[in-house]
Amino acid sequence: MKKLVFIVEDNLVQQKMLQVHFEEILGDYAVQTFEHPQDMLPKLKEKPFAVVLDHFFGDKEGKTGLDYLKQLRLSYKSIPVIYYTSLDDESIKAEVMQLGAEQYIIKNSASLVRLKTALDSLHKKDADKGFFKKLFS
């Protein structure tokens, strides 16, 4: 069964590339894409395996992915978030990680590999949790 991953990316070319990469090339994931976090928030009831969240959006309110990560953590603490950004800023990275994001990945030529590694790591954690739950139940 494919794991559901939400990708929030306002660049439609980048969004489509990520979707094709994870659904068709890797084949391990079912992907739903969103241009803005506001579009994704009502869909979180579907309990995705992970959320890949961009930092910048054409937000009229001036909010960033960081604001939406805080909002997401209020109601959905257990959904893993991979913060995906072109911003190489240690203070934002520290805040993102303090809010419980699984990874902070900078968009560059190696980011697809890093995203795949991050999702595989989440999959392994999930499998290990299930194994130990069965072992001790």
Side-chain angles (χ1 to χ4, degrees), residues 11-79:
N11 179 315
L12 297 179
V13 173
Q14 184 81 224
Q15 186 187 96
K16 186 64 175 174
M17 181 203 56
L18 290 169
Q19 182 176 16
V20 167
H21 182 73
F22 288 108
E23 283 187 338
E24 296 175 21
I25 295 172
L26 300 176
D28 299 335
Y29 304 97
V31 175
Q32 285 188 28
T33 59
F34 305 91
E35 286 183 57
H36 196 279
Q38 288 291 28
D39 302 329
M40 175 202 59
L41 292 173
K43 299 279 190 172
L44 286 170
K45 294 174 184 148
E46 295 177 31
K47 304 230 177 181
F49 172 68
V51 172
V52 177
L53 180 63
D54 190 15
H55 180 73
F56 292 112
F57 303 98
D59 198 314
K60 294 175 182 140
E61 298 172 24
K63 291 184 177 180
T64 66
L66 191 56
D67 297 303
Y68 291 103
L69 176 59
K70 291 174 187 175
Q71 186 176 349
L72 192 127
R73 284 294 170 239
L74 290 175
S75 302
Y76 297 95
K77 293 180 176 106
S78 65
I79 297 174

